[in-house]
Amino acid sequence: MSNITKKVSWSSRGDELGPVGEGTPLLNGSEQPRHSRQFSEGGSLFQIDRLSTVDLEEEISAEEESARGQPKEIPHNSKLLSLKYESLDYDNSENQLFLEEERRMSFTGFRCLEISRWLICGLIGVLTGLIACFIDIVVEKVARYKYEAIKQNIERFTEVGGLSISLILWAVLNFSFVMVGSILVAFFEPVAAGSGIPQIKCYLNGVKIPRVVRLKTLVIKVCGVICSVIGGLAVGKEGPMIHSGAVVAAGVSQGRSTTLKKDLMIFEYFRRDTEKRDFVSAGAAAGVSAAFGAPVGGVLFSLEEGASFWNQMLTWRIFFASMISTFTLNFFLSISHNNTGDLSNPGLINFGRFESENLNYNLYEIPLFIAMGAIGGVLGALFNFLNYWLTIFRIRYVHRPCLQVMEAMLVAAVTASVSFTMIYFSNDCQPLDSEHAEEYPLQLFCADGEYNSMATTFFNTPEKSVRSLFHNQPGTYNPLTLGLFTITYFFLACWTYGLAVSAGVFIPSLLIGAAWGRLCGIWLASLASAGSIWADPGKYALIGAAAQLGGIVRMTLSLTVILVEATGNVTYGLPIMLVLLTAKIVGDYFQEGLYDIHIKLQSVPFLHWEAPATSHWLTTREVMSSPVTCLNRIEKVGTIVDVLSNTSTNHNGFPVVVQVSENDEPSKLCGLILRSQLIVLLKHKVFVELAGSRLTRRKLQLKDFRDAYPRFPPIQSIHVSQDERECLMDLTEFMNPTPYTVTQETSLPRVFKLFRALGLRHLVVIDDANRVRVLNLYKSKVFSRKLKIVTMILFRWLDW
Amino acid sequence: MSNITKKVSWSSRGDELGPVGEGTPLLNGSEQPRHSRQFSEGGSLFQIDRLSTVDLEEEISAEEESARGQPKEIPHNSKLLSLKYESLDYDNSENQLFLEEERRMSFTGFRCLEISRWLICGLIGVLTGLIACFIDIVVEKVARYKYEAIKQNIERFTEVGGLSISLILWAVLNFSFVMVGSILVAFFEPVAAGSGIPQIKCYLNGVKIPRVVRLKTLVIKVCGVICSVIGGLAVGKEGPMIHSGAVVAAGVSQGRSTTLKKDLMIFEYFRRDTEKRDFVSAGAAAGVSAAFGAPVGGVLFSLEEGASFWNQMLTWRIFFASMISTFTLNFFLSISHNNTGDLSNPGLINFGRFESENLNYNLYEIPLFIAMGAIGGVLGALFNFLNYWLTIFRIRYVHRPCLQVMEAMLVAAVTASVSFTMIYFSNDCQPLDSEHAEEYPLQLFCADGEYNSMATTFFNTPEKSVRSLFHNQPGTYNPLTLGLFTITYFFLACWTYGLAVSAGVFIPSLLIGAAWGRLCGIWLASLASAGSIWADPGKYALIGAAAQLGGIVRMTLSLTVILVEATGNVTYGLPIMLVLLTAKIVGDYFQEGLYDIHIKLQSVPFLHWEAPATSHWLTTREVMSSPVTCLNRIEKVGTIVDVLSNTSTNHNGFPVVVQVSENDEPSKLCGLILRSQLIVLLKHKVFVELAGSRLTRRKLQLKDFRDAYPRFPPIQSIHVSQDERECLMDLTEFMNPTPYTVTQETSLPRVFKLFRALGLRHLVVIDDANRVRVLNLYKSKVFSRKLKIVTMILFRWLDW
């Protein structure tokens, strides 16, 4: 697999693509229109492609060219959908083995399982909290050394001249940290780049992103985020916590690690997509909770992104994991701050207490908040627009690891230089206040007893800058300082997001918003009469931060709750909600949310909440994949191997049929079997002919399927001799005898709902018996994740 | 319909039971075992009944006896399930009319619909907030008059003697208010009794409780709750707000009121169960939000109780309604308090600010909190246990409205007398403090400048008592006072819940818990060293309140968030969660939650979250209703009328079949038609023979179905002449051609999931074609809400 396909996606290793992903074909949504219809309003053509005909040619030739060492523009079209991603199967395959196990299990057995689920969630919470704690302490300590060193250096050279040496020191320090972080990410685990939130969104949505929940990814992510934050990039360490929590959950719940080659032989029951996804939800929630000290927000994040079916006990467990996570973080941070037992640091970012009396808002401020929400929406859309084109550019031209590392280093150097220049030319001097002591006050050219105000925003970790924008006394910042800072930081943050470093976009967004929000507050206060104190700049900084963040990420309920929990005060619930609502509406008018843009750019078959409103005229017949590959209940091994090896129809589920009569009458559906199950069967050579000798061998059990989960070997790695090809396999025991079915006439929204609500991966389409008398009766058609793809294309056509 | 059946259930009007509910047969879960199997662990017999054979005899004879004026013990068995309740249909019937409408609708049309949904949610929020505001202000004003009058009276008689006159005044005042409230409820709208939360839980779960969302119910509820709170009963006005919000939502979203006979001809699109239930969720959330100032808690309440499928936009709309509701209440209360624009009264109950420094908890307090949670669980279970037997008693003996009114009046008198006695014999005098001024301080036999501390808890609205328990200075209450108060109020509240008055159980629970929690705090403080301030009694009062409430209602995530929002401080998130978790686990060990007990006592076919863990050995074949009544696609009117009139098989959905061949071969499924649709068709005489003359008449449209929604006339009210009985009806256009289907072999958990996740009312069971060659091929069986009943019985056997 070449570098090119590597760079098109989050997950670069072609050799680990799993059994189906030979090649990473991109599916063009507009090719080979099979059904077209004039769309009533827009007049645009609606085109539905035929999915079984994937043309691999173009991809291969592109690879060959790059192999010849000619880096070339990669043709990337965000209307394509990648066939590389597989779906999670949220539906249990209720085959005989499964049912037997469930029926054998006693009530106590189920109770034990339930207790283990709680235990695992507790463990997820503890581990996620510890990781957050580790990141926080390391960043804190190392950043302190760095800033102290630079500060001393600057102080030394301010009077004698030669500040360029300080600049170089600063730039080199940033440079080196970012280089380490970037090399780790670009060369060792590209999927650890960015905040990881889009990937987790996809996972919770039901799309398996390769290697996204591996231990190695976690290690690289943690190291990477430490490097990039210390490296002074315009990034936060909160987004990556969500990814980290998810990895912890996926690891703990499976009771083993493939990276470490260690199987603890526990929690084997949970080795399937259904259970794993539930735990990953809990992990993501625990991550949010640790990042923002927002346990309820974490639960809502998980539900908003992942829930297709709300289950009370599951929600309660997720909440438990969240609570434990924030509690663990809080407790260990209190120890590290020599203040054991004081539980006042619930998250990595703490907005500080908003308690003073004048922070109450009044009715006439509501329109102002809404206006700020609109500004946030516009600025957010601009941010996303710029980042969109930057990402397209990166996909086309910056796709080699070394180029990516170089870009990251360039950004680090530019960030340091720009910050330094801004500080250098700023003449906003403020008196040093013993109460609101800045952590690293830079005197520079200010008079004694004063410090450079611009430096407090740039010369600090972004979390601290946000907090000082929220809480510093009115008058701490000069409007010009804030304006310049906003503009500079906006472009720096926009450039930074999408680099090959582990980094989140939450804190930069909050910082940009807080800066212009505070600016609004200062401006409003200057409009108001002298004695009025209603326009507290800190309050407006909070509103601005909410508006900017909402404009960029477009999250709704969960973000409101996260922000409310981070401020520790429910008073601002209504204004924050109104601001986020406005920002979302305004932003959506121009552009999608940042995460959705990146998901789209990675060609992920992401399933939205509802089928498009105007899709009622589409029926299953028009979107299903056809003809379908069926297997007989007792099938020849050779046929099965051939079917699995056929790359042009690389399905993951096959309907099992039975012949009713000898003549031409079509066969009837009797079950559904998955590729993964067939692979395990072939590996264990469960052939009818060997049944006699199998009496000595043990019977195939569910455990064998679970041991192979989740990395089933590809069909190529299984050797079947020519003699064995003539053997027969009896699928009765292993197929799911009761797959969900629909008829051909079912409308798309109806099928979509079934798919979404039950988290299906395959849906069998059966003919309507009353229409076809003999020929097609019960000839089943599989309606697999290809449905997702078709539906997505449909979405695209509506959205773009 | 006699009084007896009236009293067995929330909904008493036999004459309004709708088309199906002729008679309210109770279905005995243990009769006629069709399939029994020794249950592996418990050894108890698992029995599944045959649902099509409902024996109506017993019921009728009971009615006759009561008609003869002999009030008799009503045989009530909570293992019965009432056939009276119908399910909501969360699945759209996608017939030709519906699809045509959807396909005709443009993108703009859908956008307009979306905007109307938002508008309706805003309106729901505003109206719910206004109702809450109205209740609050009226209760406040009238209660002030009442308490002032009694206070003056007591002060007059304290010195001269003759306090018994004050007692009589107090008792008579309470007496009269409660009488009015009780008469309204018992004689005019029994479904308005209680908090309404169990009814709304059922509605959101998908069970239609007759008359629960009518305007009349709302009016009675509001008047009733005002009377019972002013009447000094141990009740709160918060629970009924949830019911009120739901009624508002159901009314507003339909754009008409049948009670007022007014149709605004708007929002016609929303006249179906799917949309209505979504709006009712929003209304319930708005109610919670107005009651507790907890918009996020409201959303979570709705989701926890009702969501089967989480939809992002719907959640966001629900949140919007909640926010608007709390905001409206806040705004109008600020006007009424002459403090316009001060938004600090977000809910009916306000726990006050928990802000002082010493209210932070420390790590070593966590075990104490957990222990308190356990106490709350035990006390809650005791409360539920007593109330359970009391309710059984009431169902058996107190089933006439006049008896109910008398009981309510008795409780009112006893409450007043007990309170008076407690105050009279209390010698807990506290100095009058100008800062924490009590609203109605009673001096009684205390020295000048002092007041009777017992009187602050009893001689006040319960909301104010809760607040003073949370916030009064340490030392305000004597431990003996608190102990006596806890015991008295516990029994009073337990007796009160279930009376024929509109009243909630939230505030009494909080009050009991706050009292014993404060007692714990005082006790702990006495254990600790003198100078220690960690055991703030207010903090322990809060924890105790949470424990007691959690022990009684057993809500989880939503209750945590509600309490956190009501305290306005997220610091207590973790302790409250731990306390609620412990209370739930301990309480569930003994007894179900209070609402679940009442739901069970009303024999509602309530559908839980998941199928019982050990139900995998059950298949659809064993739980479906069979034989099923099918209709032909072109059916004789006479047959349809007969089928609909047949009370022994009063199904609400009928599979439509088509004959394949002339001979004995069974017919094939081609759709599903609902009773309500057939009724409308019969009413409009859509007969094939009249098709010619119908050219002059307009074609039947979706509007005709919507106009009849939700109160379709019973079949008896439709007159079909003998000639017309020979006509034919073509159902093709009106049936749902693509109902969801399963095969007979599907396991119960799988079917349950489908039912629960999609909110189905009917599920067609088709034969497995490969098993039956000719005879039963495609002979469909309807698997309607009877599934619910069977599943419920299953649950019962597992639970009890």
Side-chain angles (χ1 to χ4, degrees), chain B residues 431-439 441 451 456 467-468 470-474 476:
Chain B
L432 263 176
D433 186 357
S434 59
E435 268 182 59
H436 282 268
E438 298 301 325
E439 197 120 11
Y451 68 97
T456 54
R467 209 148 62 226
S468 56
F470 284 167
H471 292 292
N472 277 5
Q473 296 294 321
T476 318

Side-chain angles (χ1 to χ4, degrees), chain A residues 120-121 123-132 135 195-197 200 203-204 212-214 217-219 221-222 237-253 276-291 301-302 321-322 325:
Chain A
I120 292 174
C121 282
L123 212 55
I124 291 169
V126 170
L127 290 178
T128 309
L130 285 178
I131 289 173
I135 294 178
S195 71
I197 295 181
I200 296 304
Y203 192 94
L204 295 180
V212 81
V213 288
R214 296 221 183 146
T217 311
L218 175 66
V219 173
K221 189 117 209 168
V222 169
K237 56 192 186 300
E238 281 66 20
M241 265 323 294
I242 299 169
H243 190 169
S244 305
V247 181
V248 166
V252 169
S253 65
K276 194 170 171 183
R277 196 177 112 182
D278 285 351
F279 287 114
V280 170
S281 308
V288 175
S289 172
F301 173 84
S302 270
S322 295
S325 155

Side-chain angles (χ1 to χ4, degrees), chain A residues 94 312 327 574 609 747 769, chain B residues 94 311-312 327 574 609 747 778:
Chain A
E94 294 203 335
Q312 202 171 21
F327 180 75
L574 180 70
W609 289 101
S747 71
Chain B
E94 293 204 334
N311 181 311
Q312 201 171 23
F327 181 75
L574 180 71
W609 289 102
S747 71
Y778 261 135

